[in-house]
Amino acid sequence: MDKQHIFHPGEREAQDNAGEASIAARNAAMVSATVIAGARPFIAKQFMAALGSVDATGRLWASLVFGKPGFMHTGDGSAISFDIPAALRDPDDPLWSNIAHNKDLGMLFIELGSRRRYRVNGNVSRLDEDGMEVAIQEAYPNCPRYIQRRHLRSMGEVSLPARAARGRVLRGSVEDIVRGADTLFVASRHAGAGADASHRGGGVGFVHIVDESTLRIPDFNGNSMFNTFGNFRLDPRAGLCIPDFAGGRLLQLTGTGSVLWDQPDPGNDTGGTGRFFEFTVEQWILREALQPLEWEYLDASPFNPPVSA
């Protein structure tokens, strides 16, 4: 992999806007064309992954998949297999129809309890009744900041069909989930680099509802690569997935994202960056999780900026 040309023009523009291009260049050394040996056992022991996919109309969706440890695995690091039989897939999750149309897939393997995460982008090379395999394009670790620690105490068996609702405005229980969020996942895409899945976290209330179709999310200091913001610069389509840990539901939203630079921030919501991204909702799906999941909240990230009123 050519480290000198690892970032596309949108990412480089975002890095320059933030004044962090030199930091990004140093962090590019972490990026590999395969899953490094030390990360392979980490992926195999996970029971959850965030996935970013593209539907037939070009819209982005973020999803969460769950399974017993071992259901995701990689041998030599060149591809990752997901053992999710067709009978255990939720037909209301856009993921499965999306990857039948578009092979781009962003993956984030995240362990909330230890605040570890590993980011992988690739292309679906196999999709059949047994599961899927994803050929790797690039992979790299992410820092542990802004992850709220949770322990999964138990996971039940898959039960189908699960209930799902759809809409376009943020009202009722959907609004409540957004206002109570401290964790979310973002899907974005670049035409050449493919789909991407990333994490955003903060104190409860860090996601601001501007109006019934607009969210504003602060952007904290990170790894300086600006993968998500760089993708937005060239393709504003985006997807969000907000887990309702207490209620056992997943809120998936698709729409567009725009970056706000050098914004007034009297409440220090951004932790000093002055950056936000606004998400305009086009559609949402609220689904019950296929498996009963019992989570234990442990603690908030010590890096979270305070949430203003």
Side-chain angles (χ1 to χ4, degrees):
M1 177 177 290
D2 185 353
K3 303 292 186 181
Q4 298 300 316
H5 301 92
I6 200 167
F7 299 117
H8 63 66
E11 292 168 328
R12 291 196 296 270
E13 181 178 326
Q15 294 160 10
D16 289 338
N17 284 345
E20 299 179 25
S22 60
I23 303 174
R26 290 197 298 272
N27 287 340
M30 299 186 298
V31 180
S32 170
T34 61
V35 175
I36 60 174
R40 296 170 199 170
F42 172 76
I43 290 173
K45 74 173 186 173
Q46 298 313 306
F47 52 78
M48 179 181 79
L51 306 178
S53 61
V54 187
D55 72 16
T57 68
R59 295 180 301 180
L60 270 292
W61 293 89
S63 302
L64 289 176
V65 294
F66 298 89
K68 303 298 183 184
F71 86 106
M72 305 180 292
H73 50 91
T74 177
D76 62 5
S78 64
I80 297 176
S81 295
F82 291 75
D83 299 335
I84 306 176
L88 302 183
R89 301 171 194 166
D90 190 342
D92 288 307
D93 185 352
L95 169 69
W96 301 106
S97 59
N98 290 358
I99 57 178
H101 291 284
N102 190 307
K103 304 303 182 186
D104 289 351
L105 192 68
M107 297 165 281
L108 181 69
F109 302 93
I110 184 166
E111 189 172 78
L112 300 179
S114 66
R115 296 194 172 107
R116 295 177 63 197
R117 51 182 159 167
Y118 195 75
R119 199 157 163 175
V120 186
N121 299 334
N123 303 100
V124 176
S125 56
R126 175 181 61 85
L127 177 63
D128 56 29
E129 291 296 305
D130 298 321
M132 66 176 171
E133 185 171 270
V134 186
I136 306 308
Q137 286 187 301
E138 62 177 20
Y140 54 96
N142 276 169
C143 75
R145 286 181 287 177
Y146 317 119
I147 297 176
Q148 321 327 317
R149 283 203 311 142
R150 283 180 168 87
H151 170 64
L152 184 65
R153 300 177 67 177
S154 67
M155 176 189 296
E157 297 300 319
V158 171
S159 177
L160 284 168
R163 291 186 296 179
R166 289 171 168 79
R168 297 183 182 277
V169 295
L170 304 169
R171 296 176 186 163
S173 59
V174 169
E175 179 182 356
D176 293 341
I177 290 172
V178 173
R179 293 193 185 281
D182 62 18
T183 300
L184 61 85
F185 301 92
V186 185
S188 62
R189 180 178 183 263
H190 175 265
D196 182 78
S198 67
H199 163 272
R200 293 289 190 279
V204 171
F206 86 109
V207 181
H208 301 276
I209 297 179
V210 178
D211 56 42
E212 288 187 330
S213 62
T214 310
L215 304 178
R216 182 175 293 167
I217 302 166
D219 184 63
F220 310 140
N221 280 318
N223 62 11
S224 302
M225 293 186 185
F226 291 95
N227 307 112
T228 301
F229 277 16
N231 288 346
F232 287 170
R233 174 67 184 83
L234 301 179
D235 185 344
R237 291 171 291 189
L240 302 181
C241 182
I242 304 177
D244 174 15
F245 292 104
R249 296 174 294 179
L250 298 171
L251 176 61
Q252 296 169 273
L253 309 100
T254 189
T256 56
S258 60
V259 182
L260 306 176
W261 300 91
D262 303 318
Q263 298 296 298
D265 186 17
N268 197 35
D269 289 334
T270 65
T273 69
R275 297 188 300 263
F276 295 85
F277 83 83
E278 281 196 346
F279 180 83
T280 302
V281 179
E282 294 179 359
Q283 182 183 355
W284 55 257
I285 303 172
L286 179 59
R287 301 189 292 116
E288 289 184 339
L290 294 185
Q291 305 98 323
L293 303 169
E294 183 182 352
W295 295 91
E296 178 184 3
Y297 177 83
L298 299 177
D299 54 31
S301 169
F303 296 97
N304 290 345
V307 177
S308 63

